[in-house]
Amino acid sequence: MNVLKAILVISLSVGSLSSFAQCKDWTWPEDKATAEEKNVLYGDAVRNKHYKQAIAPHQWLLTNAPNLNTSIYIQGAEIFDELADVEKDATKKQIFIDSLMIIYDMRIKNCGEEASVMARKALSYYKFNINGAKGAEVLPVMDKAFELNGNNIMDGLLVPYMQSVRISAAKFKKLTEDQILEKYDMVSAVVDAKIKKAQSEAKPIDKLKKTKDEIDAILLTLVSFDCDRVKSTLAPKFKQNPSDINLAKKIFGFMLQGKCTDDPLWLEAGEAIHNAADGQKDYGLAKNLGLRYFTMDNFEKAEFYFSEALALAPDNAAKAEMLILQGSMASRKGSKSDARELFRQAAAADPSNKDAFERIGDLYLNSFNDCKKMDSQADDRAVYLIAYDYYAKAGATQKMSAAKSNFPSKEDIFLKNYSQGQSIRVDCWINENTTIRTRD
């Protein structure tokens, strides 16, 4: 098979003809009739997926009309991509792959568009070589594509780039950990820029976020980031430049995975990210910051971030979640009425969230000492009756049993002249009705 040899000769011979004409118009050679014939022949073969039949007339055009039109390179790439895909013989397959790469190089030489064509070449180089003997050569091709395209690189190259880093480092031992981190920083910054741009244009970002997660996951297979390493390698850089948000995001994510969110550095990084969000603040981040401050009993800071998260809540379920957290904080501060109101708002926001009812039941169950008057066990123990009602709404069977064990006895209600099923008002701060029941 002389396909590669023929194309290589063509590539070398036409290099000096390049004027970066972009090949948008049709530039016919002196022998226009033959060129038109060859163009029809190879075009028909491609349309009918007879790719081997397309090679000869297509080569004639590459030799005699390299500036004819961009289509001869677009369809040329299709020819050799398809042939390489289905070829079983390793030697022939490699010839088709090498031919495909030459097609990309010839397109750049004769038609320009280096950045976009290089991106396509990088994707094809990755596709056919990443798991083979040339796996170590993929990353330099990728690097060139990223260098030329910057943040405009196609989305489809983002994860393959990090996979190329992985192969180069893990299989071929070509990269140090510092070099791995440098390349990770670069591709992460590109993803972040794409996310920011998509948000500014009100476009979906779910796929980009998934891409970012995949890139982070690959890094963690290459570099071990326990909390001590984060503090020894990344913290000093962050202290020197706390406005480096990409670095803050790495610190925040690694420490979250390392389960060392009790370290002040995690909070510093998270707050830097939140404060630099420029109108694109994240619900999950605000919630996590609020939770951390809540566990520290820093209610002022917790309330600030819980309120931010509530405003950012993407749906009613998230809104209910934040209202429950705010209610829990109000309860911790001793404001039962405020806590109940927040739990009620949560239940209204998301009726499927039964946790809100359980939390109200907890408030009532724990109000015995606050509300008892020591005049009548039947009246004092009414808090357990109404707590039971809310536990029943929540389906909290164990807590229902605990509440029932504290119901008034038959003797208690007899002494007050109450009867089973009778409506009774629970006063104190509760001010709700329930029905008389007994534990025995």
Side-chain angles (χ1 to χ4, degrees), residues 136 211 243 409:
T211 293
S243 62
S409 67

Side-chain angles (χ1 to χ4, degrees), residues 3-284:
V3 176
L4 175 60
K5 182 178 178 180
I7 293 181
L8 182 57
V9 170
I10 294 166
S11 174
L12 294 173
S13 66
V14 302
S16 60
L17 302 175
S18 173
S19 60
F20 297 107
Q22 301 299 317
C23 306
K24 298 299 183 186
D25 298 322
W26 288 86
T27 306
W28 296 100
E30 185 176 346
D31 187 357
K32 182 178 180 182
T34 302
E36 288 180 325
E37 177 188 0
K38 300 296 184 183
N39 190 57
V40 170
L41 285 172
Y42 102 83
D44 286 344
V46 169
R47 279 190 291 276
N48 291 309
K49 301 187 184 302
H50 298 154
Y51 295 110
K52 288 187 178 179
Q53 294 177 22
I55 292 176
H58 183 261
Q59 284 184 1
W60 189 95
L61 290 172
L62 292 178
T63 305
N64 297 281
N67 298 104
L68 178 63
N69 188 268
T70 311
S71 62
I72 65 173
Y73 297 108
I74 295 173
Q75 291 183 305
E78 180 184 346
I79 290 169
F80 290 107
D81 180 89
E82 294 289 344
L83 288 171
D85 255 346
V86 300
E87 183 58 59
K88 302 301 182 184
D89 181 271
T91 301
K92 293 179 180 179
K93 187 181 188 75
Q94 191 60 54
I95 290 173
F96 289 137
I97 293 170
D98 292 340
S99 300
L100 172 61
M101 299 308 146
I102 291 172
I103 290 291
Y104 286 125
D105 292 339
M106 290 181 67
R107 179 176 175 182
I108 292 171
K109 286 180 181 180
N110 291 286
C111 300
E113 301 179 289
E114 183 180 12
S116 61
V117 177
M118 194 66 199
R120 292 183 177 90
K121 179 180 178 180
L123 192 58
S124 293
Y125 208 92
Y126 172 86
K127 172 184 175 182
F128 289 112
N129 293 307
I130 190 62
N131 294 315
K134 293 187 176 183
E137 300 175 15
V138 176
L139 185 57
V141 178
M142 286 278 190
D143 280 331
K144 182 65 174 177
F146 274 77
E147 177 188 338
L148 291 170
N149 287 274
N151 293 339
N152 293 322
I153 195 76
M154 63 175 70
D155 293 358
L157 276 178
L158 297 170
V159 172
Y161 180 84
M162 201 62 195
Q163 290 284 17
S164 302
V165 171
R166 182 181 65 81
I167 291 293
S168 188
K171 185 175 180 180
F172 297 101
K173 312 300 180 186
K174 293 281 189 178
L175 300 173
T176 65
E177 286 197 347
D178 285 343
Q179 289 172 323
I180 292 169
L181 288 171
E182 181 181 340
K183 293 184 179 298
Y184 166 80
D185 287 345
M186 182 277 292
V187 72
S188 290
V190 171
V191 178
D192 288 338
K194 285 179 173 288
I195 289 174
K196 186 173 183 179
K197 184 175 185 292
Q199 289 175 323
S200 70
E201 297 171 352
K203 293 180 179 178
I205 60 172
D206 289 347
K207 287 185 178 179
L208 286 169
K209 282 190 171 182
K210 183 179 179 181
T211 293
K212 187 173 179 63
D213 290 341
E214 290 181 50
I215 289 170
D216 288 346
I218 294 170
L219 178 67
L220 292 177
T221 68
L222 300 174
V223 180
S224 176
F225 267 99
D226 57 24
C227 297
D228 288 339
R229 180 166 190 167
V230 171
K231 292 171 70 174
S232 64
T233 60
L234 301 184
K237 297 178 183 178
F238 182 60
K239 295 293 184 183
Q240 290 178 356
N241 186 13
S243 62
D244 186 342
I245 302 306
N246 286 328
L247 179 58
K249 288 178 179 179
K250 292 179 184 63
I251 291 171
F252 185 86
F254 291 143
M255 296 188 82
L256 187 63
Q257 290 176 339
K259 298 180 180 179
C260 45
T261 57
D262 55 340
D263 192 289
L265 177 62
W266 183 80
L267 275 177
E268 287 181 49
E271 290 192 287
I273 298 165
H274 184 82
N275 293 333
D278 297 330
Q280 302 294 338
K281 294 180 178 179
D282 181 72
Y283 162 79

Side-chain angles (χ1 to χ4, degrees), residues 336 361-370 383-384 387 391 429:
K336 290 184 171 66
D362 291 342
L363 290 175
Y364 292 165
L365 190 80
N366 294 320
S367 292
F368 179 79
N369 289 329
D370 294 333
V383 294
Y384 297 115
Y391 288 146
W429 70 273

Side-chain angles (χ1 to χ4, degrees), residues 240-421:
Q240 290 178 356
N241 186 13
S243 62
D244 186 342
I245 302 306
N246 286 328
L247 179 58
K249 288 178 179 179
K250 292 179 184 63
I251 291 171
F252 185 86
F254 291 143
M255 296 188 82
L256 187 63
Q257 290 176 339
K259 298 180 180 179
C260 45
T261 57
D262 55 340
D263 192 289
L265 177 62
W266 183 80
L267 275 177
E268 287 181 49
E271 290 192 287
I273 298 165
H274 184 82
N275 293 333
D278 297 330
Q280 302 294 338
K281 294 180 178 179
D282 181 72
Y283 162 79
L285 175 56
K287 181 184 77 170
N288 279 319
L289 290 172
L291 281 168
R292 180 66 193 124
Y293 277 118
F294 186 25
T295 62
M296 296 166 61
D297 289 337
N298 188 333
F299 296 138
E300 182 179 355
K301 283 271 194 175
E303 176 57 35
F304 172 78
Y305 286 110
F306 283 164
S307 296
E308 292 266 288
L310 180 60
L312 295 166
D315 51 40
N316 285 337
K319 183 177 180 180
E321 181 183 22
M322 294 318 305
L323 288 165
I324 287 173
L325 285 172
Q326 287 183 318
S328 298
M329 187 165 62
S331 176
R332 178 88 68 84
K333 291 161 67 175
S335 181
K336 290 184 171 66
S337 295
D338 289 344
R340 177 176 62 182
E341 177 56 29
L342 288 162
F343 294 146
R344 284 174 172 171
Q345 289 177 28
D350 181 15
S352 67
N353 189 329
K354 304 302 182 183
D355 190 33
F357 296 120
E358 185 174 343
R359 299 300 181 95
I360 295 175
D362 291 342
L363 290 175
Y364 292 165
L365 190 80
N366 294 320
S367 292
F368 179 79
N369 289 329
D370 294 333
C371 295
K372 65 182 180 181
K373 297 178 180 177
M374 305 299 290
D375 292 331
S376 163
Q377 285 290 308
D379 291 330
D380 289 347
R381 290 179 177 272
V383 294
Y384 297 115
L385 298 172
I386 197 161
Y388 180 97
D389 296 341
Y390 278 88
Y391 288 146
K393 289 181 181 181
T397 54
Q398 289 186 339
K399 289 186 176 182
M400 289 168 63
S401 297
K404 185 175 181 179
S405 68
N406 286 288
F407 281 2
S409 67
K410 291 179 179 178
E411 182 180 358
D412 293 333
I413 67 169
F414 175 78
L415 292 174
K416 281 290 294 185
N417 202 26
Y418 291 151
S419 58
Q420 293 270 10

